Amino acid sequence: VMGSVAAMNYPVAIVLPESDADAVGLARLSIYVGLVISLMVTALLYIFGTEILHLLNAAEIVDFIYLIPVFMFFSVLSMVSGQWLIRKKMFSLTAKVTSGQALVINAIKAGLGFIHPTAAALIVTTTSGVFLTAVMMFFGMRKKQSCDVEKSSCSSPALSPWQLAKRHHDFPLLRTPQVLLNSVSHSLPIIVLAAHFGPASAGFYTIASAVLGMPMVLIGSSVMQVFYPRINEAIHRGEDAKSLIIRATVGLALSGAVPFLVVILAGPTLFGFVFGNEWTVAGTYAQWLSIWIFFQYINKPAVAAIPALRLQGGLLIYELFSMSTKVLALYLGYKFFESDVIAIALFSLFGAIAYAWLILWVIFHSGQLSKSSEKNELQKTS
């Protein structure tokens, strides 16, 4: 949760400027902000860390508390490197780094599982994995020379860090709260299930969401990385952004319809077969979660278009509404029905409706932008 907001979402803005110079300025600004916030969190944990952990009933992780700001800063470096690769459309390098990092880190985790199977080993390895991603991306960029250093296109930003911060102020003011709320809302079912239905229910939810999230990570995130710079270019050039978003959304819907439908129809049987009979409840969770995660999977083009369409304020309002409905869903499932399955079902249905509304809202605004661009073009022609 903290890692996602450590740089106030300035790294996401790296793709937007037309000049590489301003993009480099945003990268530097992101690192400065990430370093300051990580140091502030370190000081906060030094003074109040023990009290905070006791308040969260998590005193057992006190030995690892200072890995939180370390993880935050590593996350900033990783996000900055990743957004620069997206800007430069170096998708093959991104894929190599992602797969290489996953191979190395998971191999280390598996090895430590045999040699030294402790929580400390997992925590330190996970933290190191974020740093490894940043290092691999950095050296990959240096090797491919993604900046034209000879022409100094990347060395001297046209605007100062303060000017860049002001120009993209909607990212810390609007996008950061939205990302924070989104991270918290994704963690809500685990917290509620563990507190009211026991750790087994939280475990069922975790494995169900992890399995269903794989297509979103492998395909949805890749589509978003490619689509983000493409839609930004289209808007700069006055192209039909609406049709681009619709085509990409429909394409994802067609690619995901069959796999998600299979889980909806046969979730308990599939999970029982793959993981064992004791995990059939996770399959029941997966049946309902498939509806929500399917819409989360197909909303990637719409979400990628939001920064370029300057809809950050509306996205924050949407996130507040969406999180409120999810809280309501879990409350109804626990308080009135006293059923973990009904709680997950309501959570999924409310979430799916919210994602569908988000897609339609972005498409509507992209259509308004296209009409405005056509009108301006006609006026120039006249």
Side-chain angles (χ1 to χ4, degrees), residues 13-182:
I14 290 172
V15 176
L16 298 179
E18 293 189 45
S19 71
D20 279 352
D22 286 341
V24 168
L26 280 168
R28 291 173 181 165
L29 174 65
S30 301
I31 293 172
Y32 299 155
V33 172
L35 179 60
V36 170
I37 291 179
S38 298
L39 290 173
M40 289 172 61
V41 170
T42 303
L44 184 68
L45 293 175
Y46 179 77
I47 301 170
F48 302 109
T50 304
E51 290 80 359
I52 292 172
L53 290 180
H54 280 290
L55 185 66
L56 297 173
N57 195 27
E60 64 270 20
I61 67 166
V62 68
D63 293 337
F64 310 106
I65 195 169
Y66 292 110
L67 284 178
I68 293 173
V70 172
F71 182 90
M72 289 172 64
F73 186 65
F74 288 172
S75 296
V76 172
L77 299 179
S78 179
M79 284 189 286
V80 168
S81 302
Q83 291 297 319
W84 184 262
L85 292 181
I86 292 173
R87 177 181 177 84
K88 288 299 179 179
K89 301 180 181 178
M90 300 170 70
F91 305 119
S92 61
L93 177 58
T94 303
K96 290 175 183 176
V97 168
T98 302
S99 57
Q101 186 263 13
L103 181 64
V104 171
I105 295 301
N106 286 312
I108 293 173
K109 286 180 181 179
L112 289 173
F114 288 103
I115 302 169
H116 191 61
T118 63
L122 285 175
I123 293 169
V124 173
T125 305
T126 300
T127 304
S128 303
V130 185
F131 179 68
L132 178 62
T133 300
V135 169
M136 292 172 70
M137 286 182 175
F138 177 76
F139 282 105
M141 288 188 293
R142 289 289 297 271
K143 186 176 180 181
K144 290 185 176 289
Q145 295 181 341
S146 60
C147 286
D148 191 348
V149 179
E150 294 180 3
K151 294 182 180 179
S152 299
S153 64
C154 296
S155 58
S156 53
L159 300 175
S160 68
W162 176 245
Q163 289 172 316
L164 288 167
K166 288 177 64 178
R167 173 174 288 187
H168 300 280
H169 67 277
D170 51 331
F171 284 88
L173 293 179
L174 301 175
R175 190 63 180 264
T176 298
Q178 181 270 323
V179 171
L180 183 61
L181 287 172
N182 186 264

Side-chain angles (χ1 to χ4, degrees), residues 48-363:
F48 302 109
T50 304
E51 290 80 359
I52 292 172
L53 290 180
H54 280 290
L55 185 66
L56 297 173
N57 195 27
E60 64 270 20
I61 67 166
V62 68
D63 293 337
F64 310 106
I65 195 169
Y66 292 110
L67 284 178
I68 293 173
V70 172
F71 182 90
M72 289 172 64
F73 186 65
F74 288 172
S75 296
V76 172
L77 299 179
S78 179
M79 284 189 286
V80 168
S81 302
Q83 291 297 319
W84 184 262
L85 292 181
I86 292 173
R87 177 181 177 84
K88 288 299 179 179
K89 301 180 181 178
M90 300 170 70
F91 305 119
S92 61
L93 177 58
T94 303
K96 290 175 183 176
V97 168
T98 302
S99 57
Q101 186 263 13
L103 181 64
V104 171
I105 295 301
N106 286 312
I108 293 173
K109 286 180 181 179
L112 289 173
F114 288 103
I115 302 169
H116 191 61
T118 63
L122 285 175
I123 293 169
V124 173
T125 305
T126 300
T127 304
S128 303
V130 185
F131 179 68
L132 178 62
T133 300
V135 169
M136 292 172 70
M137 286 182 175
F138 177 76
F139 282 105
M141 288 188 293
R142 289 289 297 271
K143 186 176 180 181
K144 290 185 176 289
Q145 295 181 341
S146 60
C147 286
D148 191 348
V149 179
E150 294 180 3
K151 294 182 180 179
S152 299
S153 64
C154 296
S155 58
S156 53
L159 300 175
S160 68
W162 176 245
Q163 289 172 316
L164 288 167
K166 288 177 64 178
R167 173 174 288 187
H168 300 280
H169 67 277
D170 51 331
F171 284 88
L173 293 179
L174 301 175
R175 190 63 180 264
T176 298
Q178 181 270 323
V179 171
L180 183 61
L181 287 172
N182 186 264
S183 298
V184 171
S185 69
H186 277 72
S187 303
L188 275 175
I190 297 174
I191 297 169
V192 173
L193 290 170
H196 298 297
F197 297 104
S201 294
F204 291 143
Y205 173 84
T206 301
I207 194 169
S209 59
V211 171
L212 294 174
M214 277 192 271
M216 189 173 63
V217 172
L218 295 173
I219 302 173
S221 297
S222 300
V223 168
M224 189 169 180
Q225 289 178 357
V226 176
F227 193 76
Y228 184 21
R230 175 68 186 95
I231 192 69
N232 188 51
E233 287 178 4
I235 290 171
H236 279 312
R237 296 173 182 173
E239 297 177 23
D240 187 359
K242 180 179 179 179
S243 64
L244 279 174
I245 297 170
I246 291 174
R247 289 204 304 270
T249 303
V250 171
L252 281 174
L254 292 174
S255 68
V258 173
F260 281 104
L261 184 61
V262 169
V263 177
I264 290 172
L265 295 176
T269 303
L270 288 173
F271 273 69
F273 176 75
V274 175
F275 300 107
N277 291 330
E278 63 271 24
W279 291 99
T280 54
V281 176
T284 304
Y285 283 15
Q287 284 182 303
W288 289 106
L289 288 172
S290 292
I291 302 169
W292 171 53
I293 294 179
F294 173 74
F295 281 93
Q296 188 180 4
Y297 172 74
I298 68 173
N299 81 349
K300 296 305 177 188
V303 173
I306 285 173
L309 292 170
R310 296 295 179 183
L311 297 175
Q312 313 266 42
L315 181 62
L316 176 57
I317 295 171
Y318 155 82
E319 198 64 58
L320 286 167
F321 171 78
S322 175
M323 183 174 176
S324 300
T325 59
K326 290 173 183 174
V327 171
L328 176 62
L330 293 171
Y331 177 79
L332 291 174
Y334 164 68
K335 191 72 175 178
F336 291 96
F337 297 100
E338 298 182 352
S339 168
D340 54 337
V341 174
I342 292 178
I344 291 300
L346 291 173
F347 177 88
S348 180
L349 292 174
F350 284 21
I353 293 169
Y355 279 139
W357 184 89
L358 177 67
I359 294 168
L360 295 174
W361 174 67
V362 171
I363 290 173

